[in-house]
Amino acid sequence: MSYAELFCQSNFSFLQGASHPEELAVQAEFLEYNAIAITDECSVAGVVRAHTAIKEHSLSIKLIVGSYFILDDFHIVLLCPNRDAYAELCRIISNARRRSEKGQYHLDRWDLMSIKHCLCLWLPNSSNNNASEMKNDYWAQWLNKYHKGRSWIACMRHLESNDAEHIQYCNTLSKTSDLPIVACGGVLMHSPNRQSLHHVLTAIRHKTTVEDCQDGRLSNTERALRPISKIAKLYKPEWIQESIRIAERCTFDLSELRYEYPAELVPDNKSAMEHLRDLVKHGSQLRFPEGVPSDIQQTIDKELTLIEELKYPYYFLTIHDLVMFAKRQKILFQGRGSAANSVVCYCLEITSVDPRQISVLFERFISKERDEPPDIDVDFEHERREEVIQYIYGKYGRERTALAATVISYRLKMAIRDVGKALGLHESQLDFFIKNIFRRDRSLNWQSQIMELGLNPESYKGQQFIHLVNEILGFPRHLSQHVGGFVISRGPLYELVPVENAAMEARTVIQWDKDDLESLGLLKVDVLALGMLTAIRKAFSLIQQQHKQSLSIAHITALGDDPDVYKMIQQADTVGVFQIESRAQMSMLPRLKPACYYDLVIQIAIVRPGPIQGDMVHPFLKRRNGEESIDYPSKEVEAVLSRTLGVPIFQEQVIKLAMVAAGFSGGEADQLRRAMASWKKTGKLKPFRDKLINGMQKRGYEAEFAERVYMQICGFGEYGFPESHSASFAVLAYVSAWLKYYYPLEFYAALLNSLPMGFYSASQLIQDAKRHGIHILPTCVNHSQYEHIIEDRKMRLGLHMISGLSESAAQEIIKQRPSKGYQHTQELISLHMTRKDLESLASANALQAISGNRFETRWQLSNQEYALPLLKEQCNHYHLNSEPSEYENLVEDYAATGLTLGKHPLQLLLESGLLQGITTSDQLKNKAHRSLVTVAGVVTAKQAPGTAAGVTFMTLEDHLGNMNVIVWSGTARAQKSAFMTAKILKIKGILEREGDVIHIIAGKLIDISGEIERFKVDAREFH
C-alpha cells in the first residue's frame, strides 16, 4: 500500500509547523510515501526548500505545491495539478495578502469562486449542533456548484475523543453531497519528537506560557508524519487510494517555472541583443577614447557571444537602465561583485573597475556549465536609493515587480527569550542570560555558560529549555524584505510567485528569498545601499560650496596614485576611510604599506578570514618585504599568481589555477568556487580533491605543490574574497582617503551627516577630527542647521544630533529663527514645542547663547508664568547664578548627544587624580616590546571574528588617541563581568610591537566605569 500526504504545514506556517520543509520531504521519502504536499497557510514560502532537498538528495518522492486557507468557518486546502493552477494559487495568495497588513491575510469569497484549475480539499467542522450542520451543508452545495469534479472532503484522524463521530459525519456528508473522501493527516511536524517544540511555538503564538496555553496545544503526536502501516489502520483503503489518485493528477513541478524578462527597454526596430551590442559599442568608445585595445575587444566579443547564447541580454539592459536613471538624477552608484569581472558591465557604466587594472575572469560572472543568471550588485547612495526603488515600481508597476524576501530566523538571543518566556522563566532572568553570554567563546558553548549563570541543568525545565532552544534555532520567524533584491517580470509577477505587503509603506515583497530564487534559476536585480557613496556625494557638494571646485570619483581616480595619500594610508590614519578603517585593517596597513591602487585591492582582500585561514598573509608579507624568495613551478602559474607574488589571495586565482594547472574547464572551476563557499557544511569540496591533485600531477606539477594548493583552497573555505569585489571597494577606499587627506573638514562633515554607516560612532569620528586640527562648534539654536555645516572653516554640529528633539521641532526652530537669532527662551516657548523638545534642547546646552548654561536654561523654562504676554520682557531678568561642573557637563553631553566637545572622560579622571600610573596612547610608542603597561580608556569597539579562535580585539580610546587590545578567550572568561559590561576599562598587560603596529595583550581587566557615575557610551560590537 502507498499513500500521499496532501495536507502538511511546515515551519513556514510561522509558529504553527514544527519542522522544516526539507525535514518533511526527507521523512516522507523514508516512510515510503508516494507524494507529499507542502500546504502552508496562505503561503508557498517553504516549497522551494522541499524542492531543493528532493533534488539535492535525489529523492523519488513527488512534491505537490499547495496552500491552506481559512475563510471564517470554511477551511480549505488548494493543490496545484498544473502550471495554470500554480499561477491561480499565487494570484489568490497575493490578493489575500495585499488586502491586509504584513503577516496577515484576508481571503474573499470571490477568490474561491474564481478557481478554475486548483484542486479543493475541504476540511469540514465536526458537527456538534444544527448551526454547524447547516454551514457544512451550505459549503458542500457551494463546492458542487462551483468546483464539481475538483473537490473532496479531507478527513483527518488524530485519535481524539470525537474521532468516531467525525468519521461517521464525514461519511454522511459525503453521501448527501456526493463529494468523495480523501485521507489526510493535517501534518505539523515530521517526527513525534517535535511535540514539545510545537507546544512552545503555540505558546509563543498566543503570547502565553505552555502551562497556561490550552488553545491549539496538541494532545498527542498524531500530527506527525505517520508510518503507512498506521495510516492503513486509521483510514478506509479507498480513502487512502484517493490520495494517490489526487497525487497522480498533480504533475506540476517548480522546475517548470521560467522567467520572462521585461521587454520595453528594447526599441521596436531592434532585437534585445542588437540593442545591447549598440550600447556596449557606444560605451566602449567612452571608456576607451583612444581606441579599444585588441585584447579588450576580444573579451567584449567573447562576453557578448555568451550573453546571447544564454539569453541574458534583457538582464543587462535592465541593470543599464537603472544606472542611467541614477546618472541622470546625479545619484552616485557603483557596481560590484562578480560584475567587475565583466568588460561589458564596464562599457555599460555598471561598474567603474577598469579591466586593465585587474585580472578579469568572466567565468566568475557567467559560465555555460553553471547555467544560472549572472549576479550584478549595484550600490547606490543609501539616502537616495529609495528614488531608484520607486523608479522601478513606477516603470514596471506593482504587478510586475517586488522585493525578494529575507527569512528572519531564530538566532540565539531571540530563541532564549521566546523559549524561556514560553516555559515560564522570568524575563529578568532571561535578560541576564542574554546580556552575559559571550557567543564567540568557542571553548565554552552557550549551554555551559548559561549553567554558570544560574540555570539548573539537573531540573526538567532546565533540560527542556536547552533542548528546545537548540531545536528552534534556525526556525523561520517571519518574512522581511531583502536589502534590495528586486524581481522584475514581463507579465504579472503573481503568476510566478505570491506577492505581499512589506512592513515599510510603498513596498511589496515576494514570498521567496534569494536562495529560493537561485535554486529555481530566477533573476534578481540587486539595488543595494552604501553609506560611503552618500558621504562622498555630500563631500563633493561641500567642496563645491566652499572651494568652487567640482569633483567626481572618475576625476579623482584619473589623477593617478597620490604618494601623500598613500603615506597617510600606510600610517593607518584611516578612521572613516571605506573598507580600511577596521582595527584589523589598520593593523595590517603599516605592514603591507600600500603604495598604489592594486596594493589597495590586495589590502582589502588579505584582511579576510579566507586568506588568513589559508595561511596566505604571512607568505605574502615576507615576499613583499624581500624576506622570502618567489618561485613559480610553471609560466602558466606565474601568469596567474605574479600580481600577488606567487600567493593565491583571490577566489579568481583559485579558479584560474584549477584551469591552467589542473585542466578544469571554466564551468568546472566555477563549480569548485561554489563548493568552496559551503564545503564545511556540505563536504562538496572533497570530490574535487582527486581531480585537482591528479590533474596537476598529470601536467608535471609536484605532489607537494598540488597538495599545498588544495589545502589553501580549503583555507579559503566560505570566506574567500573575490578580486572583483575588492577592486570595486578599492576605488571607494582610495577616493575616501583622498578626500580625508585634501579636504578633511568637508570629509568629516559629510561622513557625520551620512551616519549611521561605517565602523565608528559620531563621538569617535569627532575625536579623530579634533586630532586632525578641526575645530568643532556645539549645537546652537541660533547657528545650527538640521545637519552639520561648515561655519568659518569650522564644523558646526547640527540639531539632529540632539537626542529626543523631534525633526519637526528642529525644522521649526530653523524656519522661525530671527535674523539676529533668538534673544530669550520665551521665543522658543512661543513656538509651541513639546516639553520634551524644550528639555532636550536644554540638556544638549543648545540654548547656551541665550541663557549661558544648562542649569540656567532649565530655570528659565521652569518659570511658566513668564509665558504670559505681559511678562515676556521680564523673563530674562532673574537668573539662577549656578553653573554645572565639568563632570555634570560631561554626563549630560553624552546623554544628550552621545559625545562631548569638552574634556574627554579619561582626561577628567587623570586630572582628578583617580587614575595613577597610566600609560596614555601617545606614550605607547616609547615603550619597549614585551614591556608591562597599564592603560585605560573608553571601550569604543569589540571585534570577535569567527576565525580568531575566541580572541576579541578591543579598542580603547583616551583623550589622545586609540589603543588596540587583544583579549584571549581565557582572560575574557575569567573576568567576564568586566569584559562584557565595562564602559571604561583599565587594563594591565604586555605591549607587543611589530614594526609600527602596537598591541596590548590584556592580562588584568578592571572596570572603572563607576568612576564616572551615570556616564554612558555604547561600544560598537561586531561579531
Side-chain angles (χ1 to χ4, degrees):
M1 179 181 285
S2 192
Y3 171 66
E5 181 52 71
L6 302 177
F7 179 26
C8 186
Q9 291 176 262
S10 75
N11 52 15
F12 279 85
S13 290
F14 302 119
L15 302 180
Q16 295 183 65
S19 291
H20 295 281
E22 308 95 304
E23 293 176 317
L24 292 162
V26 171
Q27 181 69 1
E29 169 90 356
F30 174 76
L31 295 172
E32 299 182 341
Y33 283 18
N34 175 275
I36 185 169
I38 301 296
T39 56
D40 287 309
E41 187 170 354
C42 197
S43 173
V44 294
V47 291
V48 180
R49 311 285 175 106
H51 169 80
T52 304
I54 289 170
K55 188 167 62 174
E56 287 184 349
H57 297 292
S58 301
L59 306 182
S60 60
I61 191 166
K62 176 189 282 189
L63 175 65
I64 299 170
V65 178
S67 187
Y68 166 56
F69 299 91
I70 300 174
L71 174 61
D72 300 324
D73 58 347
F74 183 60
H75 296 236
I76 190 170
V77 174
L78 300 182
L79 302 178
C80 301
N82 51 43
R83 177 67 177 86
D84 288 339
Y86 174 76
E88 185 173 75
L89 179 70
C90 291
R91 173 179 56 78
I92 292 169
I93 294 172
S94 298
N95 286 338
R97 291 286 184 183
R98 290 300 308 279
R99 293 187 192 110
S100 300
E101 62 184 28
K102 177 186 180 294
Q104 306 296 319
Y105 73 95
H106 175 70
L107 192 68
D108 191 88
R109 191 166 300 194
W110 179 88
D111 296 322
L112 299 177
M113 289 175 64
S114 67
I115 295 169
K116 302 297 181 189
H117 305 283
C118 288
L119 306 182
C120 306
L121 307 186
W122 174 38
L123 300 153
N125 293 320
S126 294
S127 175
N128 50 21
N129 55 53
N130 289 335
S132 293
E133 286 191 21
M134 288 176 65
K135 288 178 181 178
N136 285 335
D137 289 343
Y138 167 81
W139 285 115
Q141 292 173 22
W142 189 89
L143 286 168
N144 269 321
K145 179 179 179 180
Y146 292 105
H147 306 303
K148 192 171 181 64
R150 291 183 289 108
S151 298
W152 289 261
I153 294 171
C155 183
M156 300 186 292
R157 286 200 68 183
H158 297 140
L159 303 185
E160 294 173 331
S161 58
N162 65 342
D163 259 17
E165 292 175 14
H166 183 65
I167 295 296
Q168 184 179 350
Y169 180 68
C170 286
N171 270 315
T172 304
L173 194 59
S174 175
K175 289 173 184 176
T176 58
S177 65
D178 199 29
L179 290 174
I181 296 177
V182 62
C184 69
V187 170
L188 295 171
M189 49 198 176
H190 76 290
S191 164
N193 296 333
R194 288 285 169 87
Q195 185 186 20
S196 295
L197 180 59
H198 186 272
H199 287 169
V200 166
L201 294 170
T202 304
I204 295 169
R205 189 169 83 251
H206 290 286
K207 296 183 172 63
T208 185
T209 64
V210 172
E211 188 175 352
D212 294 336
C213 181
Q214 300 302 322
D215 187 20
R217 207 173 93 177
L218 300 181
S219 60
N220 58 34
T221 60
E222 294 301 306
R223 300 295 289 267
L225 290 173
R226 297 171 286 192
I228 292 177
S229 58
K230 186 170 186 176
I231 298 286
K233 293 176 182 177
L234 293 173
Y235 298 102
K236 293 180 180 181
E238 58 267 31
W239 295 1
I240 297 172
Q241 190 57 39
E242 194 67 24
S243 74
I244 300 299
R245 282 194 286 269
I246 292 172
E248 287 171 351
R249 289 180 64 172
C250 296
T251 59
F252 170 70
D253 189 281
L254 286 170
S255 60
E256 295 176 36
L257 297 180
R258 291 290 178 269
Y259 182 84
E260 294 183 338
Y261 298 84
E264 56 261 57
L265 298 174
V266 182
D268 293 338
N269 59 341
K270 291 181 183 179
S271 69
M273 199 62 217
E274 287 171 340
H275 186 44
L276 180 63
R277 287 183 184 277
D278 288 348
L279 289 173
V280 171
K281 184 177 181 180
H282 175 70
S284 66
Q285 292 167 353
L286 293 176
R287 291 296 201 185
F288 306 100
E290 297 176 2
V292 183
S294 59
D295 60 328
I296 296 291
Q297 187 60 55
Q298 286 178 6
T299 304
I300 291 173
D301 294 341
K302 173 187 170 185
E303 290 185 22
L304 288 171
T305 299
L306 193 54
I307 289 168
E308 183 173 21
E309 192 175 333
L310 295 177
K311 300 178 182 177
Y312 292 145
Y314 285 109
Y315 180 63
F316 286 84
L317 292 173
T318 303
I319 305 293
H320 175 260
D321 178 64
L322 295 183
V323 299
M324 288 301 101
F325 166 78
K327 186 178 180 181
R328 290 192 300 272
Q329 301 301 313
K330 295 182 170 53
I331 301 170
L332 291 186
F333 64 89
Q334 174 149 301
R336 62 175 165 90
S338 56
N341 275 306
S342 166
V343 186
V344 165
C345 285
Y346 181 66
C347 293
L348 293 174
E349 298 185 58
I350 294 169
T351 159
S352 61
V353 177
D354 190 325
R356 292 167 295 189
Q357 291 181 303
I358 67 168
S359 183
V360 172
L361 180 65
F362 192 60
E363 287 82 4
R364 170 72 176 82
F365 183 46
I366 299 178
S367 78
K368 193 183 298 183
E369 288 92 338
R370 194 164 78 227
D371 190 27
E372 64 183 36
D375 183 23
I376 299 178
D377 299 336
V378 185
D379 290 312
F380 298 89
E381 297 177 38
H382 76 319
E383 289 185 4
R384 299 190 66 192
R385 181 181 64 141
E386 188 63 27
E387 295 175 46
V388 182
I389 288 173
Q390 293 307 320
Y391 170 74
I392 293 171
Y393 279 131
K395 187 176 188 69
Y396 299 105
R398 296 204 173 256
E399 277 201 346
R400 296 170 52 202
T401 187
L403 284 159
T406 292
V407 179
I408 304 301
S409 298
Y410 271 102
R411 300 177 72 177
L412 186 60
K413 286 185 179 180
M414 191 197 300
I416 288 173
R417 188 175 301 283
D418 280 9
V419 172
K421 286 166 72 174
L423 293 180
L425 274 68
H426 200 278
E427 205 157 341
S428 61
Q429 185 180 20
L430 298 173
D431 286 338
F432 178 71
F433 288 163
I434 290 167
K435 187 177 180 179
N436 288 282
I437 290 173
F438 182 45
R439 287 167 290 160
R440 288 293 181 182
D441 189 346
R442 292 185 174 184
S443 58
L444 195 66
N445 60 28
W446 73 266
Q447 296 94 331
S448 300
Q449 290 187 56
I450 217 164
M451 290 174 196
E452 287 184 351
L453 294 169
L455 184 76
N456 182 4
E458 303 299 323
S459 69
Y460 177 71
K461 184 177 282 189
Q463 293 170 2
Q464 281 286 88
F465 174 77
I466 289 173
H467 170 71
L468 291 166
V469 167
N470 275 328
E471 272 197 323
I472 206 173
L473 287 173
F475 258 53
R477 185 63 173 81
H478 61 267
L479 292 182
S480 183
Q481 64 183 46
H482 187 267
V483 289
F486 266 93
V487 180
I488 308 170
S489 65
R490 178 175 297 185
L493 186 56
Y494 57 69
E495 293 183 355
L496 185 71
V497 55
V499 179
E500 60 182 61
N501 295 320
M504 190 179 295
E505 193 176 348
R507 296 279 182 92
T508 47
V509 298
I510 63 172
Q511 289 190 334
W512 292 339
D513 70 5
K514 63 182 182 65
D515 295 327
D516 297 331
L517 292 170
E518 186 176 323
S519 296
L520 296 175
L522 301 177
L523 176 145
K524 172 173 64 72
V525 174
D526 282 317
V527 179
L528 305 177
L530 190 62
M532 182 50 70
L533 286 172
T534 303
I536 289 171
R537 194 255 305 161
K538 288 185 175 183
F540 288 164
S541 178
L542 286 170
I543 291 165
Q544 176 69 41
Q545 292 171 20
Q546 297 289 315
H547 304 280
K548 310 303 180 190
Q549 183 178 0
S550 180
L551 290 175
S552 68
I553 292 173
H555 172 80
I556 293 171
T557 54
L559 294 174
D561 295 325
D562 188 315
D564 291 331
V565 174
Y566 280 102
K567 184 177 179 182
M568 180 188 79
I569 291 172
Q570 290 166 10
Q571 293 169 348
D573 184 5
T574 55
V575 169
V577 176
F578 186 62
Q579 282 290 308
I580 54 172
E581 62 175 346
S582 73
R583 175 231 170 268
Q585 287 281 358
M586 290 170 75
S587 294
M588 181 64 71
L589 287 167
R591 298 161 66 193
L592 195 143
K593 294 182 173 61
C596 64
Y597 167 75
Y598 198 73
D599 285 352
L600 268 187
V601 177
I602 292 172
Q603 168 73 36
I604 288 169
I606 206 168
V607 185
R608 304 282 166 178
I612 291 169
Q613 288 198 332
D615 196 26
M616 298 158 198
V617 177
H618 293 297
F620 179 83
L621 289 175
K622 286 179 179 178
R623 294 178 183 194
R624 186 174 172 89
N625 295 332
E627 300 169 14
E628 184 175 292
S629 61
I630 307 170
D631 59 333
Y632 304 99
S634 71
K635 290 290 183 185
E636 292 82 4
V637 171
E638 183 177 4
V640 175
L641 298 180
S642 59
R643 288 157 72 91
T644 53
L645 308 182
V647 180
I649 299 224
F650 305 111
Q651 276 186 357
E652 289 91 340
Q653 290 178 305
V654 172
I655 296 171
K656 280 190 175 182
L657 272 180
M659 292 167 69
V660 304
F664 280 47
S665 69
E668 287 174 329
D670 190 70
Q671 289 169 10
L672 170 64
R673 176 192 67 83
R674 293 165 68 81
M676 284 164 51
S678 58
W679 76 274
K680 286 185 178 179
K681 296 177 184 175
T682 64
K684 287 183 178 179
L685 192 55
K686 292 176 183 175
F688 287 96
R689 182 183 183 280
D690 292 341
K691 181 176 176 62
L692 188 78
I693 291 177
N694 293 340
M696 293 178 79
Q697 287 183 299
K698 186 178 177 181
R699 285 161 179 77
Y701 296 96
E702 293 182 3
E704 182 187 354
F705 176 77
E707 189 68 42
R708 189 165 80 242
V709 169
Y710 176 74
M711 293 307 295
Q712 286 174 333
I713 290 172
C714 290
F716 262 78
E718 58 192 291
Y719 301 107
F721 204 66
E723 183 179 15
S724 50
H725 267 80
S726 197
S728 298
F729 287 162
V731 171
L732 299 183
Y734 179 75
V735 169
S736 55
W738 190 93
L739 289 169
K740 178 171 182 173
Y741 182 78
Y742 284 106
Y743 297 97
L745 176 57
E746 289 78 7
F747 172 77
Y748 283 106
L751 208 58
L752 286 158
N753 280 332
S754 302
L755 293 177
M757 57 160 283
F759 198 81
Y760 296 98
S761 65
S763 174
Q764 292 167 279
L765 290 173
I766 283 174
Q767 291 292 341
D768 193 64
K770 288 164 71 174
R771 287 191 286 270
H772 283 76
I774 293 170
H775 191 69
I776 312 293
L777 301 172
T779 54
C780 176
V781 291
N782 282 337
H783 297 95
S784 291
Q785 297 298 316
Y786 188 67
E787 289 196 329
H788 311 304
I789 58 171
I790 295 173
E791 180 184 307
D792 298 327
R793 301 306 299 157
K794 299 168 185 171
M795 190 198 306
R796 170 73 70 179
L797 297 183
L799 295 176
H800 77 276
M801 289 286 295
I802 301 175
S803 177
L805 179 67
S806 66
E807 182 176 353
S808 59
Q811 297 292 4
E812 188 68 11
I813 289 168
I814 296 164
K815 181 182 175 182
Q816 301 297 334
R817 183 186 290 153
S819 59
K820 294 183 178 180
Y822 297 103
Q823 300 301 310
H824 46 74
T825 55
Q826 178 56 40
E827 291 176 272
L828 290 162
I829 294 171
S830 66
L831 296 180
H832 304 295
M833 290 191 292
T834 66
R835 187 75 192 172
K836 181 182 177 184
D837 286 327
L838 291 169
E839 287 174 352
S840 297
L841 288 168
S843 184
N845 210 18
L847 279 71
Q848 186 177 16
I850 301 171
S851 57
N853 64 64
R854 292 179 167 96
F855 286 1
E856 187 66 43
T857 299
R858 287 201 180 96
W859 173 257
Q860 292 183 20
L861 290 176
S862 68
N863 281 286
Q864 290 299 311
E865 67 266 26
Y866 292 124
L868 298 172
L870 289 175
L871 299 176
K872 278 185 181 179
E873 296 301 319
Q874 301 178 40
C875 65
N876 276 6
H877 292 177
Y878 299 98
H879 299 283
L880 186 64
N881 295 322
S882 176
E883 290 191 12
S885 66
E886 286 185 325
Y887 160 73
E888 288 167 325
N889 274 329
L890 173 77
V891 172
E892 288 226 42
D893 280 345
Y894 274 101
T897 62
L899 57 91
T900 183
L901 299 182
K903 291 182 178 179
H904 191 277
L906 261 291
Q907 187 176 0
L908 280 181
L909 289 175
L910 286 167
E911 289 178 359
S912 65
L914 292 172
L915 282 179
Q916 302 290 334
I918 297 297
T919 301
T920 56
S921 57
D922 68 324
Q923 295 170 340
L924 291 176
K925 61 181 179 290
N926 301 319
K927 295 289 183 179
H929 176 58
R930 302 293 296 170
S931 60
L932 292 171
V933 293
T934 301
V935 297
V938 176
V939 181
T940 58
K942 285 191 284 190
Q943 274 184 291
T947 55
V951 175
T952 299
F953 301 103
M954 187 181 287
T955 303
L956 295 187
E957 177 192 88
D958 66 12
H959 56 301
L960 297 170
N962 294 317
M963 295 166 281
N964 296 321
V965 179
I966 293 174
V967 185
W968 300 116
S969 58
T971 305
R973 194 182 314 122
Q975 303 171 81
K976 193 170 186 177
S977 178
F979 173 75
M980 295 287 289
T981 63
K983 302 295 182 183
I984 308 178
L985 262 180
K986 180 177 176 182
I987 295 178
K988 296 182 178 182
I990 297 171
L991 181 142
E992 290 201 346
R993 183 191 305 277
E994 185 177 346
D996 294 330
V997 180
I998 296 173
H999 296 104
I1000 296 146
I1001 309 299
K1004 180 71 173 174
L1005 309 178
I1006 305 166
D1007 184 357
I1008 57 171
S1009 309
E1011 301 294 343
I1012 301 278
E1013 291 181 15
R1014 294 183 289 124
F1015 169 68
K1016 182 180 178 183
V1017 56
D1018 292 329
R1020 305 291 301 281
E1021 299 203 18
F1022 299 87
H1023 299 297

